[in-house]
Amino acid sequence: MWARVPSLFKNFYFLTALGFLAWMLFFDSNDFITQFQTSQKLAILEEERDYYLEKIDEVQKDRKELLSNPDLLEKFAREKYLMKKPTEDLYLIIEKDEEELEAMKADSLPQ
């Protein structure tokens, strides 16, 4: 039976290389699966980094505009934080979604 095995598979160096390859692909702490998962995680983190860098640039641009123009600063404070002058009254108009309106109509209908 041992005579029927090709000589390549009897070679010590081939068997050693095959064992090393199997060890590196499946059993090592830096195996193929771990490397693939790490590269996917890296890609996701790079996308997040790019997103946050864009947001930082946007906020810095808005900040620069707000600090340079007092009228714009007042408009921002009124819209974003609902600030008002002491002599003013503030009325909020909140628009409801169509789904909420349909649900309210369905609830109010007699069955």
Side-chain angles (χ1 to χ4, degrees), residues 3-20:
R4 294 179 54 190
V5 176
S7 63
L8 177 65
F9 295 120
K10 293 183 208 177
N11 187 342
F12 171 75
Y13 296 108
F14 176 76
L15 293 175
T16 304
L18 187 64
F20 177 74

Side-chain angles (χ1 to χ4, degrees), residues 56-98:
I56 288 171
D57 290 340
E58 188 177 310
V59 167
Q60 286 177 346
K61 186 183 92 134
D62 290 343
R63 182 178 181 268
K64 185 177 179 182
E65 288 177 7
L66 286 174
L67 294 177
S68 66
N69 188 350
D71 294 331
L72 193 60
L73 181 62
E74 182 181 349
K75 178 184 174 193
F76 179 79
R78 286 173 177 268
E79 291 176 359
K80 181 94 173 166
Y81 297 108
L82 304 176
M83 293 184 172
K84 64 180 185 77
K85 293 181 181 177
T87 59
E88 296 177 335
D89 291 329
L90 183 64
Y91 298 99
L92 292 179
I93 300 173
I94 301 172
E95 297 180 11
K96 294 188 177 184
D97 295 337
E98 290 182 24

Side-chain angles (χ1 to χ4, degrees), residues 18-31:
L18 187 64
F20 177 74
L21 186 64
W23 179 265
M24 293 305 290
L25 286 176
F26 302 110
F27 303 113
D28 192 45
S29 63
N30 295 318
D31 62 348

Side-chain angles (χ1 to χ4, degrees), residues 39-57:
S39 67
Q40 284 185 330
K41 187 175 182 180
L42 177 65
I44 291 170
L45 290 173
E46 286 176 346
E47 288 177 9
E48 287 180 7
R49 182 197 65 199
D50 294 340
Y51 170 77
Y52 287 120
L53 287 175
E54 287 178 16
K55 286 295 183 183
I56 288 171
D57 290 340

